[in-house]
Amino acid sequence: FPVTITTLIDQKKTNYNKTTMWEAKISYTEPLSKYWFIVGDYKYSSTLTQSERGSFDRNTLNNEYTQLVDSLSNRFRYNITKNEGGVTFRYVNKKVTAALGARGAYTDLWQRNLVTGLPQDQHFLNFFPSASLTYKHKTTSTLNINYSGSTRQPTLQQIQPLQDNSNPLLVYRGNPNLKQSFRNNVSIWMYNYKPLKGRGYYFNVYSSFVNNDFSYSDFVYPLVPFYFWLNILYHIRVIK
């Protein structure tokens, strides 16, 4: 038999979110010969997010929503700072354009709970290669192969250790121990077109392999679904 549970949530919700982002990048290209070039670059980026979330119960004495619910309220500050640099060798001629490089990135995830004063910091050092090849057999025929690596940081909503009961039938809770994810991207595409015959073809394959991707675990208690953010070891995606 179906079970029906009725729950009344009489609360006032307040939300304040502010995000400030900025970055600076410098690059330099030096020709080594007629066809070879070396490119060096450095990039600094910073993302500062502030969040204040309040839940208030109604005070029966004055009928005002003034009773703060500590378990559902928080003031949080989250800062992502990244220093990234790399070197790439490029080869360019009429038919072939190729690049091979390596990059390094140091990422600092800085978290502060402004209510409890509890800090939580994480630091990551990543190295990832990059490579690309473009071959033009003719002006109407091209083959391209590309690989790149990148990182992605969790959002404030994913790490904020706070239960959100705005929707009582779908409750989310953040995870302050989330780690950044690392994505490997590989793509291959080619096309060939014969204008005199009006015939051609196009082929494209994209694949990504993600380590520590973001997902969530769900459980029911009692008869209400709860979702908890976590890292999964591997995630593979292929698009044709």
Side-chain angles (χ1 to χ4, degrees), residues 30-32 45 65-66 70 75 86 109 119 133 138 144 147-148 157 160 208-209 238:
E30 177 71 22
L32 301 177
S45 62
Y65 293 89
T66 57
D70 293 334
R75 294 174 57 217
L109 305 184
L133 172 66
K138 298 178 181 178
N144 178 270
Y147 165 80
S148 63
Q157 287 72 27
Q160 188 168 200
S208 65
F209 176 85
V238 177

Side-chain angles (χ1 to χ4, degrees), residues 64-234:
E64 298 284 341
Y65 293 89
T66 57
Q67 295 180 340
L68 181 68
V69 183
D70 293 334
S71 62
L72 301 175
S73 304
N74 204 355
R75 294 174 57 217
F76 210 79
R77 181 170 293 179
Y78 180 41
N79 189 25
I80 304 173
T81 302
K82 180 185 289 188
N83 292 272
E84 181 179 349
V87 176
T88 302
F89 290 92
R90 293 179 58 85
Y91 176 82
V92 180
N93 67 18
K94 290 183 178 181
K95 289 189 175 183
V96 177
T97 300
L100 179 64
R103 304 189 64 79
Y106 179 80
T107 305
D108 180 22
L109 305 184
W110 182 89
Q111 307 173 39
R112 287 296 183 275
N113 187 323
L114 302 181
V115 175
T116 63
L118 293 177
Q120 184 161 347
D121 300 329
Q122 298 185 65
H123 311 279
F124 301 96
L125 182 61
N126 298 105
F127 295 96
F128 34 89
S130 63
S132 65
L133 172 66
T134 301
Y135 174 67
K136 293 184 177 181
H137 178 61
K138 298 178 181 178
T139 57
T140 57
S141 178
T142 301
L143 169 67
N144 178 270
I145 303 173
N146 185 75
Y147 165 80
S148 63
S150 61
T151 58
R152 185 163 67 99
Q153 287 70 42
T155 65
L156 179 59
Q157 287 72 27
Q158 291 172 331
I159 68 168
Q160 188 168 200
L162 193 65
Q163 180 173 297
D164 184 1
N165 70 338
S166 300
N167 182 354
L169 300 180
L170 194 64
V171 180
Y172 283 90
R173 183 177 180 86
N175 180 4
N177 296 313
L178 282 178
K179 301 181 182 300
Q180 69 174 5
S181 66
F182 187 90
R183 180 182 299 270
N184 298 275
N185 305 299
V186 178
S187 65
I188 301 174
W189 64 266
M190 64 178 299
Y191 77 87
N192 184 284
Y193 179 68
K194 297 180 179 180
L196 295 180
K197 296 182 178 181
R199 185 174 58 192
Y201 63 85
Y202 176 82
F203 172 81
N204 178 59
V205 174
Y206 170 81
S207 177
S208 65
F209 176 85
V210 186
N211 186 29
N212 282 334
D213 201 6
F214 309 124
S215 185
Y216 51 80
S217 174
D218 62 291
F219 60 94
V220 178
Y221 176 83
L223 301 180
V224 175
F226 283 76
Y227 293 88
F228 180 76
W229 288 102
L230 47 76
N231 289 111
I232 58 176
L233 188 58
Y234 300 115

Side-chain angles (χ1 to χ4, degrees), residues 2-39:
V3 178
T4 302
I5 297 179
T6 302
T7 303
L8 175 63
I9 299 179
D10 186 10
Q11 293 178 338
K12 177 183 177 182
K13 303 288 187 180
T14 60
N15 286 281
Y16 170 79
N17 293 281
K18 179 181 178 182
T19 300
T20 304
M21 304 175 60
W22 71 277
E23 69 176 39
K25 181 178 181 179
I26 184 173
S27 63
Y28 176 75
T29 301
E30 177 71 22
L32 301 177
S33 65
K34 182 179 179 180
Y35 300 112
W36 284 95
F37 303 85
I38 183 172
V39 182

